[in-house]
Amino acid sequence: MQTETNTRSVTLTELKKYAMHNFKTKRPMFVWGPPGIGKSETFEQIKNAYIEQGKTAHLIDCRLALWDPTDLKGYPYFDQTANKMRFSAPDELPDEEMAKQYDVIILFLDELNGASPATQAAAYQLVLNRAIGKYKLPDNVVIAAAGNRDTDKGVTYRMPKPLANRFLHYEVRVDFNTWQDWAVKNQIHPDVVGYLTTFKNDLYNFDASSNERSFATPRSWTFVSETISDVEGFTEDEVTDMVAAGIGEGIALKFKAHREVSGQLPNPSDILAGKVKDLKTDNISAKYSLTTALCYELKEAFDNDDKANDKFDNFLEFIQNNFESEMVVMGATVALSKYGIRPKFNQLKNYKPFIAQYGKLIEQA
């Protein structure tokens, strides 16, 4: 659902839907947005979406801020036989031989408005004419570009109006639900998912006017997830130093307090084995962390464990007895919808009472 702000904006989920529609007519699109929110990652997901549809797809990610005009047009050389100056074909752009291998190729011109005006002028020809010099884009190539806004205080150059008019322009906003869907599918650390499910505003706190070097973005929270996945041998203060390096000191201290509580939670494996029935904390963010960790364990169990059905039954019993309705719905939705877990429902003693109480809420989710 779109929201009216000073500039009409879309979520990354909406962007993927619109992009695949626009690509049917090979209409170029430009994605605007602040740093670290997942603009580049989205086009990798679009490529994968084509593959899930049974198509062959390839993504070419060109960081134009690092390119010279000759990288697009080709390097000039003198052809002695023809007595003419010619241009070598650009190596990173798709040729007909590559095009024959795929149903669709996405040419992603990232940081386009961070490129020099001369490089932008070369890109203008490519976008406008689907050709530059004697080079022509194969028919199955679609074009997308992205860049930061002038207000983000990055290195940008004003885009020429003729070039801007060749694009469909989308401004992307940070959306927690979109990020959460991505996070659980990619097994972002449960402590990160649990904390941000409670403190949603801490997912993104970029302020272009601030002098802070580190700030919270979906990208920097991924760094945090990677950092805390293996911190054996580090004190909590040392872990907080590393977390603050990614998201800033203020949020890092709040996250430390969250981890101190979640670190005292029971082992998810013991819960799924039926060894632990009760939870002795009312801390909301810790409960969200535990819910996420249980879902991760369940996914692994259904991938590899012949006793997974019993574990799912214990999961249903535990979340119903210990969690608030919102968390119960979240846990069941992640397990059943996001991960596609399919237990043998007729063998679950806790399934009927669970569906009777939460079935409609899960359908709405």
Side-chain angles (χ1 to χ4, degrees), residues 95-270:
D95 56 20
E96 291 294 341
E97 183 178 351
M98 174 186 284
K100 292 176 183 178
Q101 302 175 41
Y102 301 99
D103 294 317
V104 61
I105 296 175
I106 303 170
L107 178 60
F108 181 48
L109 307 176
D110 201 3
E111 302 174 2
L112 190 154
N113 63 328
S116 68
T119 302
Q120 285 195 45
Y124 167 72
Q125 294 181 47
L126 190 64
V127 174
L128 177 65
N129 302 320
R130 293 182 59 86
I132 181 169
K134 291 191 175 182
Y135 169 79
K136 292 184 179 181
L137 281 176
D139 288 341
N140 60 338
V141 176
V142 295
I143 298 176
N148 297 138
R149 306 160 301 182
D150 292 342
T151 53
D152 295 323
K153 304 301 183 183
V155 178
T156 60
Y157 297 90
R158 188 169 297 279
M159 184 183 294
K161 290 296 184 181
L163 176 57
N165 192 238
R166 296 302 300 179
F167 286 107
L168 298 171
H169 295 268
Y170 293 93
E171 179 154 338
V172 178
R173 68 178 182 273
V174 177
D175 175 71
F176 173 77
N177 291 329
T178 299
W179 176 84
Q180 186 186 49
D181 286 347
W182 174 87
V184 296
K185 287 178 182 177
N186 288 273
Q187 297 207 331
I188 294 298
H189 197 285
D191 281 349
V192 172
V193 177
Y195 175 83
L196 291 175
T197 304
T198 305
F199 302 103
K200 296 178 175 64
N201 288 338
D202 287 347
L203 174 61
Y204 189 81
N205 74 338
F206 172 67
D207 179 1
S209 64
S210 172
N211 291 323
E212 292 290 333
R213 297 186 183 91
S214 302
F215 48 89
T217 67
R219 178 166 57 201
S220 58
W221 277 111
T222 301
F223 299 162
V224 171
S225 175
E226 294 167 350
T227 296
I228 65 175
S229 63
D230 181 12
V231 288
E232 185 177 354
F234 291 91
T235 67
E236 278 303 311
D237 281 342
E238 289 171 336
V239 172
T240 301
D241 287 340
M242 292 188 289
V243 170
I247 59 175
E249 183 178 7
I251 295 179
L253 291 174
K254 290 171 61 179
F255 186 65
K256 177 185 178 183
H258 161 76
R259 276 176 48 83
E260 287 173 350
V261 176
S262 63
Q264 300 172 13
L265 296 173
N267 190 314
S269 297
D270 291 337

Side-chain angles (χ1 to χ4, degrees), residues 268-300:
S269 297
D270 291 337
I271 294 172
L272 296 181
K275 297 176 183 178
V276 176
K277 300 290 187 181
D278 300 312
L279 187 63
K280 299 178 181 179
T281 181
D282 292 324
N283 185 282
I284 297 297
S285 64
K287 287 183 178 181
Y288 277 123
S289 292
L290 183 57
T291 305
T292 304
L294 286 168
C295 290
Y296 290 174
E297 291 258 349
L298 273 178
K299 182 181 186 301
E300 184 176 349

Side-chain angles (χ1 to χ4, degrees), residues 176-177 180 197-198 200 284 288 291 323-333 358 361-362 365:
F176 173 77
N177 291 329
Q180 186 186 49
T197 304
T198 305
K200 296 178 175 64
I284 297 297
Y288 277 123
T291 305
F323 291 157
E324 290 78 0
S325 295
E326 182 181 352
M327 272 177 248
V328 174
V329 172
M330 172 195 160
T333 301
Y358 296 104
L361 293 174
I362 292 173

